[in-house]
Amino acid sequence: MTESLINTPYVQQLIGKVAGVEQSGGNQRLKQIVARLTTDMFRIVEDFDVTPTEFWTAVSYISRLGQANEVGLLVPGLGIEHFLDLLMDEKERQAGLAGGTPRTIEGPLYIANAPLAKGEARLDQDPEQGEVLFMQGQVKDVDGKPIAGAIVDVWHANTKGGYSHFDPSQSAYNLRRRIETDAEGRYRFRSILPSGYGCPPDGPTQQLLAGLGRHGRRPAHIHFFVEAPGCRKLTTQINIAGDEYLHDDFAFATRDGLIPDVVRHDDPAEIKAHGLNEPFV
Ligand code: MBD
Ligand code: FE
């Protein structure tokens, strides 16, 4: 086994130059991270004896990932978003701030500024037939006190697993709303039951996953941000029980406490009695 080139004075100096270590300008933290990143990249090339062909294949892959706007899609597939959640859980635990609804990843498909409603909303605005879904809940602080005026920002896919603003067949903000909780901290919405998401089959994310022998599927889920003045922001999701990918999510977002019971009603009159029957205008 030959000595690593990385430890030679010349390569150490090279890494320092790459990261601007001796330059007075710039950002110290950025320099530290770039130096580490450079070292780790050099290490991979050396340890795996990466050939120039392999190297340029990787460069081309990263370019295509960006061109396809799939960087934010590969990231959860590599488990990094979930790992950030684990780190934040641990930090909160150490600070004595644990408790409440578990967090889970945001993903790449959030759009800000969805229509704002008070207390309740209907999310489905396109003429799509789907199983009618009602969800209701109460926003409480970690001591169990209801929070009036909290914002529940909810977004989810349609019955084909597509999200408005990314799927051109849907109208703007379809299946996306912000709901302000009422005096008792309650919110309620009507929508359609989403289907699971699948990575674009011809895209670079799916290509890498296939190379790992993995699929790019997510179980049916609904995303939430919950925010209130003076409180930490909660980013979470619920999963729809019964989905075949419930515990086999390519983005690793399924967590205990985020799989509510889904109660099915067959009688249309009973569904109608839940209200929110007016189509969105
Ligand atoms: C999604 O709908 C999603 O929530 C994540 C995390 C990744 C891809 C699609
Ligand atoms: Fe999603």
Side-chain angles (χ1 to χ4, degrees), residues 108-260:
L109 303 174
Y110 174 70
I111 297 287
N113 300 315
L116 179 61
K118 280 195 189 297
E120 59 179 26
R122 183 162 174 178
L123 277 55
D124 58 312
Q125 61 194 39
D126 287 351
E128 181 186 14
Q129 296 300 309
E131 209 176 341
V132 175
L133 167 88
F134 283 95
M135 178 169 168
Q136 59 202 323
Q138 194 176 20
V139 178
K140 297 174 181 169
D141 67 17
V142 280
D143 301 319
K145 191 166 120 321
I147 305 178
I151 302 293
V152 177
D153 198 336
V154 49
W155 73 103
H156 69 81
N158 69 1
T159 60
K160 297 185 181 70
Y163 284 80
S164 62
H165 298 253
F166 298 90
D167 163 13
S169 82
Q170 296 182 50
S171 62
Y173 292 111
N174 188 41
L175 310 178
R176 300 175 185 273
R177 288 294 182 277
R178 287 176 296 160
I179 307 169
E180 187 182 325
T181 58
D182 68 13
E184 277 119 48
R186 294 184 195 280
Y187 67 90
R188 188 169 93 95
F189 63 85
R190 171 179 171 149
S191 196
I192 51 170
L193 195 72
S195 294
Y197 172 91
C199 292
D202 301 323
T205 301
Q206 186 56 57
Q207 185 194 346
L208 182 81
L209 294 171
L212 301 174
R214 293 176 51 192
H215 65 70
R217 312 283 322 178
R218 295 212 62 215
H221 60 279
I222 300 175
H223 295 265
F224 301 90
F225 287 150
V226 183
E227 288 182 272
C231 296
R232 284 168 289 154
K233 172 179 171 179
L234 173 67
T235 299
T236 194
Q237 307 178 23
I238 58 161
N239 287 111
I240 309 302
D243 192 294
E244 68 171 304
Y245 294 102
L246 185 60
H247 295 292
D248 187 19
D249 177 4
F250 100 97
F252 310 102
T254 305
R255 307 192 81 175
D256 290 345
L258 299 177
I259 310 167

Side-chain angles (χ1 to χ4, degrees), residues 42-158:
F42 285 11
R43 234 178 234 144
I44 289 172
V45 172
E46 185 178 60
D47 290 355
F48 288 89
D49 205 5
V50 172
T51 66
T53 305
E54 287 173 329
F55 178 79
W56 290 109
T57 300
V59 171
S60 150
Y61 177 81
I62 293 168
S63 302
R64 277 184 291 118
L65 192 67
Q67 270 162 14
N69 200 16
E70 286 194 8
V71 178
L73 184 59
L74 180 61
V75 162
L78 297 178
I80 304 169
E81 255 199 285
H82 181 53
F83 185 64
L84 287 171
D85 282 342
L86 300 180
L87 288 173
M88 283 188 282
D89 287 354
E90 186 56 23
K91 272 194 197 136
E92 286 182 356
R93 203 187 55 75
Q94 284 173 14
L97 293 169
T101 301
R103 63 161 49 81
T104 198
I105 69 172
E106 171 178 337
L109 303 174
Y110 174 70
I111 297 287
N113 300 315
L116 179 61
K118 280 195 189 297
E120 59 179 26
R122 183 162 174 178
L123 277 55
D124 58 312
Q125 61 194 39
D126 287 351
E128 181 186 14
Q129 296 300 309
E131 209 176 341
V132 175
L133 167 88
F134 283 95
M135 178 169 168
Q136 59 202 323
Q138 194 176 20
V139 178
K140 297 174 181 169
D141 67 17
V142 280
D143 301 319
K145 191 166 120 321
I147 305 178
I151 302 293
V152 177
D153 198 336
V154 49
W155 73 103
H156 69 81
N158 69 1

